Amino acid sequence: MPATPATTEAIAAAAEVLAAGGLVAFPTETVYGLGADATNGQAVARIYEAKGRPQFNPLIVHVPDLEAAGLHGELGRCARLLAGAFWPGPLTMVVKRREGSGISELVTAGLDSVALRVPVHPVAQALLRAAGLPLAAPSANRSGHVSATTAQHVVEDLGGAVAMVLDAGPAALGLESSIVDVTSDVPVLLRPGAVAAEAIEAVVGARLARHAAAGLLPTSPGQLESHYAPRTPLRLEAGFAAPGEALLAFGPVALPGDVPTFNLSPSGSLTEAAANLFSALRRLDAAGARCIAVMPVPQTGLGEAINDRLRRAAAPRSG
Ligand code: TXA
Ligand code: MG
């Protein structure tokens, strides 16, 4: 898939691809983003598939302005101050996720917070407005590669996996957005990026707390303390559910009628299973079972990230 110059017509076509659940790579002022409709779990699952990312990390949701941000997150005083100073622009804020916002649980990896960003790039702005959808968009590179700063990088890395790559020349900043968590009274710098920490501190009027692993993205187990995990223990590779257990099923199997059950994908689709994973865990966690029996999920494609998350949810936890 060659890159397409980001004309008005191309942006309109890209908006249709997004509305239909497809992937579009688009320029922002920081790096190129790999975008999908953030309210469509299967579209979001395709982001992970395209990137070949073996883990589900929460993704940044891109919106055109403060008003749209307010539909998806609860913006407190600090968030509004920072938005006034830096939006649109390369600052991402993690805020409490708004109840019923429609953002897929796969985007937030089951967390009750959401990362919101209002990019300033005119093509990103035009695409967000044409699509009329919040867009989940990590950097448009394969997992483990450097972030893509030109449309050519995106084509080389992801060419076959995206429906369209909108080309607007090299990204101006070449460095990802700074991420600040403003869910509590003390703002925390989760990722240093294109907005200097000092500039953020000047607006907030206080020193930013640094994430324990600032500089490292919270991508590996344990790095993001707030990773969602069910309270109910998990029993992996289960063939059946015992009395008192709940069942997390996968594929075309006969389900028991006597225990709480959720089938991640009756047809055996890993994309559908990924889209359902976090809401399924939440649902079964609330069922009051002593244990959630989890049927095997194949370790291919998105199955790797699904199994990674299931293993982490099953691991013994301290505290
Ligand atoms: O510059 C950028 O921000 C680029 C361009 C494309 O906009 N986007 C980007 O998105 O870097 P992404 O999805 O790769 O950023 C993911 C990071 C996660 O690794 C995590 O650090 C943080 O955003 N994050 C997202 N949601 C979070 C949440 N609810 N709580 C804590 N951290 C979160
Ligand atoms: Mg990245």
Side-chain angles (χ1 to χ4, degrees):
M1 170 62 49
T4 311
T7 60
T8 307
E9 297 73 48
I11 290 170
E16 282 178 25
V17 169
L18 290 165
L23 299 182
V24 171
F26 64 94
T28 82
E29 66 277 19
T30 58
V31 296
Y32 274 70
L34 176 59
D37 174 2
T39 66
N40 178 338
Q42 296 211 38
V44 176
R46 285 184 200 110
I47 289 180
Y48 286 95
E49 206 162 42
K51 284 184 71 91
R53 210 187 242 189
Q55 290 178 339
F56 295 128
N57 308 305
L59 301 174
I60 295 174
V61 175
H62 298 65
V63 289
D65 52 31
L66 181 64
E67 195 189 336
L71 300 176
H72 304 295
E74 292 176 18
L75 309 178
R77 197 190 68 91
C78 184
R80 286 178 188 281
L81 265 179
L82 289 170
F86 299 111
W87 279 359
L91 178 77
T92 296
M93 285 191 272
V94 173
V95 299
K96 192 168 180 307
R97 163 197 179 119
R98 190 173 286 291
E99 202 68 49
S101 85
I103 299 288
S104 153
E105 295 235 30
L106 188 54
V107 170
T108 57
L111 299 173
D112 52 17
S113 58
V114 63
L116 297 171
R117 158 152 151 72
V118 176
V120 70
H121 195 290
V123 173
Q125 277 287 331
L127 182 64
L128 286 165
R129 290 178 194 281
L133 294 166
L135 299 180
S139 59
N141 51 271
R142 278 195 71 80
S143 180
H145 292 192
V146 296
S147 298
T149 54
T150 67
Q152 209 41 52
H153 290 169
V154 181
V155 171
E156 284 160 17
D157 244 32
L158 299 173
V162 291
M164 263 181 104
V165 179
L166 292 175
D167 187 353
L173 298 170
L175 180 65
E176 274 132 333
S177 63
S178 305
I179 305 180
V180 183
D181 181 336
V182 288
T183 52
S184 74
D185 295 339
V186 190
V188 181
L189 183 66
L190 296 181
R191 179 174 79 182
V195 177
E198 292 76 8
I200 300 171
E201 287 172 337
V203 170
V204 176
R207 218 179 120 66
L208 288 174
R210 262 51 174 189
H211 190 257
L216 298 168
L217 296 181
T219 48
S220 44
Q223 256 177 276
L224 190 68
E225 302 82 358
S226 48
H227 260 155
Y228 172 77
R231 288 177 315 262
T232 314
L234 264 60
R235 181 166 71 81
L236 301 183
E237 306 292 329
F240 63 94
E245 291 186 335
L247 180 68
L248 186 62
F250 176 82
V253 292
L255 299 178
D258 52 349
V259 298
T261 301
F262 194 114
N263 193 333
L264 288 170
S265 172
S267 69
S269 151
L270 288 166
T271 318
E272 185 184 19
N276 284 332
L277 180 63
F278 290 98
S279 38
L281 286 173
R282 250 179 220 278
R283 182 99 60 93
L284 293 181
D285 199 18
R290 62 181 165 84
C291 180
I292 301 171
V294 182
M295 289 180 54
V297 174
Q299 181 65 11
T300 52
L302 280 173
E304 196 181 347
I306 295 171
N307 283 315
D308 168 72
R309 180 46 57 115
L310 288 170
R311 268 195 308 276
R312 287 156 66 179
R317 259 159 275 139
S318 50

